[in-house]
């Protein structure tokens, strides 16, 4: 069977997850009792990576002041990352 898309990891943090017996984006859909084991494992792998990314983002910003005026001196992508890690921490705390 021919595979399309990214089928090999590009780096330790940019991983390819090949899902046998799974349709495109099936891992991003709601769980279903008929999900194949490969989809369940893909979701666990994705969740582990998300936890790791959030932890790494938190570690990078732990040395920054927790209070004071809002940062406006940082580049937009840095501000975006700081806000994402805060939101990600809250969302992933339930997992």
């Amino acid at each position: 069977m021919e595979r399309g898309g990214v089928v090999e990891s590009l780096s330790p943090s940019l991983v390819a997850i090949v899902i046998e017996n799974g349709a495109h984006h099936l891992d991003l859909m709601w769980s279903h009792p008929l999900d194949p084991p490969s989809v369940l494992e893909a979701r666990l792998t994705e969740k582990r990576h998300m936890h790791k990314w959030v932890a790494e983002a938190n570690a990078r910003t732990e040395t920054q002041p927790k209070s004071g005026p809002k940062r406006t001196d940082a580049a937009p992508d840095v501000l975006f990352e700081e806000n994402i890690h805060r939101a990600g921490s809250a969302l992933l705390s339930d997992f």
Side-chain angles (χ1 to χ4, degrees):
M1 173 170 55
E2 190 172 321
R3 297 180 185 182
V6 178
V7 295
E8 292 184 19
S9 296
L10 303 176
S11 74
S13 64
L14 292 172
V15 297
I17 301 172
V18 177
I19 304 171
E20 299 296 330
N21 303 313
H24 183 67
H25 290 289
L26 179 59
D27 54 316
L28 302 177
M29 300 300 290
W30 297 108
S31 296
H32 188 277
L34 298 178
D35 285 340
S38 58
V39 172
L40 301 177
E41 182 58 36
R43 288 184 183 129
L44 287 174
T45 300
E46 292 162 355
K47 199 178 297 186
R48 283 188 218 111
H49 281 283
M50 286 184 250
H51 278 281
K52 182 179 177 210
W53 296 333
V54 170
E56 289 170 353
N58 285 336
R60 284 193 302 272
T61 59
E62 279 180 353
T63 58
Q64 295 179 3
K66 302 281 187 219
S67 61
K70 283 191 144 191
R71 289 185 59 185
T72 56
D73 59 328
D77 59 327
V78 172
L79 294 173
F80 176 78
E81 182 178 320
E82 289 173 1
N83 289 325
I84 287 298
H85 96 270
R86 286 186 194 103
S89 293
L91 290 172
L92 293 176
S93 65
D94 293 336
F95 290 105

